[in-house]
Amino acid sequence: MPFFCIGEVCRNDRSNGCVTSFYEGFANVTQSSSGTLLCAQGCAVSGTNTSGFIEAFKMASDAETVVFLGGLDLRWESEDRDRPNIRLPDIQVDLIQKLSKINPRIVLILMHGGMVGLDDVLDHVEAIVSIGYPGPYAGEVLPRALSGLEQRAWGKLTMTWYRNSITEDLNMLDFEMTRSPGRTYRYYRGNPHFRFGSGLNPLTTFTLQDVALEATNCFEGSGSEGSCGRAVLSVLVTNTGRKEADEVTIAYFAPLDIPEAEPAWQLREQVFGFERIHLNSGESTKVSFSIQGNETFQLADASGNLVTFPGRYQLVVSNGLDWVEKTIEIHGHNNIIRWVKLEDDIVHSQATA
């Protein structure tokens, strides 16, 4: 895959000669561990030229693990170019499927901007690493991370990874978020390959345990005007593996009682907080998320006003694998946090409906 940059990356060197390539990065790691690095181009990002397949097959047969660097480039997606579908280019799919018959231990590294459909390759690889379009240190950091030499390199997916058929399931000219099957993690009710917030740490394993939900109930007329109670949701995160590493926990809420006349009833979940922590092997720590009704549960009503609806809300804290669920209830009337500005001379804020 080529390296793209804007501006000067290397001081007084527009050729970017200071940038470590992926090949150089893997060579440094394998050399330090007395391993052997085999390299073959295999194929271009796209096209029909399969002349490099034979060399790739031979390398795969001799290797313990195959690291496949693939994905997209600016010829496939950019500010002025939209993809007709989300599929991985055909030639990469063809090569991955054939390589898996020779050596099934394939780690697929995806470089991309938009999400990539994995229908055709998911059953042919053992692991997938999404690195977006990385910066100039990727060639050094990625090989070290895959080798367990970087403890803070791993995170969670920042988008929902749909199946290839999503471009047929949705009208791509209709941007109504709630229309079936819904768009983004907030409204999508289909079965994606991976949900927003998914992601494993290859160095170790983590568990989540319920600790407590401490809440001050909110009743009509209680507290200061506009207040809808406070709560703290806490979970215990434990590193149950053998390596120190980072873990990310994400807190979501979902309304359970909003009337169907309000578009917000279709909300599947919405993030209201996240924390990244570093734990040694066997170490545990409590992670807490603060909740305030008229700040945390802000949703749009049918008129476009930003509102906190009364009723029950499901709270979920997840690391993409385990989750803790709680339910909290807000009492009272709809609390309007911010009105839609309909006329220049009408501005309302912190009013109660």
Side-chain angles (χ1 to χ4, degrees), residues 219-236:
F219 295 94
E220 184 177 0
S222 67
S224 60
E225 183 177 357
S227 174
C228 265
R230 298 177 183 274
V232 176
L233 175 60
S234 300
V235 297
L236 187 71

Side-chain angles (χ1 to χ4, degrees), residues 114-228:
M115 188 270 304
V116 179
L118 301 171
D119 298 43
D120 303 317
V121 298
L122 196 56
D123 293 334
H124 299 272
V125 299
E126 287 200 348
I128 299 171
V129 179
S130 167
I131 62 174
Y133 288 131
Y137 297 104
E140 177 182 353
V141 174
L142 176 66
R144 288 178 54 82
L146 290 174
S147 303
L149 302 176
E150 296 285 347
Q151 288 81 34
R152 299 181 179 271
W154 307 102
K156 307 297 180 183
L157 291 180
T158 58
M159 64 184 81
T160 301
W161 282 58
Y162 305 105
R163 298 176 186 272
N164 288 350
S165 61
I166 191 66
T167 53
E168 301 168 4
D169 298 338
L170 292 173
N171 179 356
M172 302 308 291
L173 299 179
D174 180 1
F175 291 92
E176 170 58 54
M177 303 294 285
T178 62
R179 187 165 290 124
S180 180
R183 291 174 180 265
T184 77
Y185 82 96
R186 297 175 72 232
Y187 295 105
Y188 184 65
R189 297 185 179 276
N191 182 27
H193 282 307
F194 301 106
R195 294 195 176 278
F196 170 93
S198 298
L200 301 175
N201 191 310
L203 303 181
T204 188
T205 54
F206 295 91
T207 60
L208 296 185
Q209 290 177 275
D210 178 17
V211 175
L213 173 61
E214 301 173 354
T216 302
N217 290 332
C218 175
F219 295 94
E220 184 177 0
S222 67
S224 60
E225 183 177 357
S227 174
C228 265

Side-chain angles (χ1 to χ4, degrees), residues 186-187 189 253-268 270 297-302 307-314 330 334:
R186 297 175 72 232
Y187 295 105
R189 297 185 179 276
F253 76 84
L256 301 177
D257 297 327
I258 294 179
E260 292 191 13
E262 298 287 353
W265 79 270
Q266 300 182 70
L267 180 69
R268 180 182 172 274
Q270 181 163 309
F297 304 125
Q298 295 184 10
L299 298 170
D301 67 10
V307 170
T308 295
F309 293 95
R312 295 174 303 144
Y313 289 80
Q314 183 182 53
I330 293 178
N334 291 3

